[in-house]
Amino acid sequence: MKQNTKDWIQYLSAIALILSAIVLVFTSFLTIERVAEGVNTYVGIAISGGLAIFGVAAYFVDRVSQFKTEIREELKRQNNGRSNSNNSKEDSAEG
């Protein structure tokens, strides 16, 4: 499964949790004109879960991009070191 697909699944599940909480509150209020304790409990859990999914997704995206940047910098340093050592070997062979 591609990373893009995984991201979309995470975002859609988080949005679904938050939207289901909102719909349940409005439905409860419109039908019985109050929000029951069970509805409040579900809303708290659903919103916390949705926000946690967004937070975890943002954290991992940040960490992966930071890791990629560090790897690229390390590879550049290694390539520069190799090219410098190759140039010095060529210079000593010519002299």
Side-chain angles (χ1 to χ4, degrees):
M1 186 179 300
K2 293 181 181 178
Q3 183 61 38
N4 189 28
T5 306
K6 292 179 184 179
D7 290 341
W8 276 105
I9 290 171
Q10 282 180 334
Y11 295 141
L12 290 176
S13 62
I15 290 169
L17 275 171
I18 293 170
L19 286 178
S20 70
I22 293 170
V23 167
L24 186 61
V25 166
F26 279 115
T27 303
S28 175
F29 187 74
L30 291 175
T31 55
I32 59 175
E33 296 181 0
R34 69 182 184 95
V35 179
E37 295 83 15
V39 173
N40 277 333
T41 302
Y42 177 77
V43 168
I45 292 170
I47 290 178
S48 297
L51 294 177
I53 291 171
F54 279 125
V56 168
Y59 175 79
F60 279 115
V61 166
D62 179 54
R63 287 295 176 182
V64 167
S65 65
Q66 182 180 3
F67 180 71
K68 285 180 181 179
T69 302
E70 290 173 4
I71 293 296
R72 285 183 184 132
E73 289 174 359
E74 184 63 29
L75 289 173
K76 284 180 185 177
R77 274 189 234 128
Q78 288 179 359
N79 286 337
N80 287 338
R82 286 181 187 160
S83 62
N84 288 340
S85 65
N86 288 341
N87 289 340
S88 63
K89 288 178 184 176
E90 290 173 2
D91 291 340
S92 63
E94 290 174 5

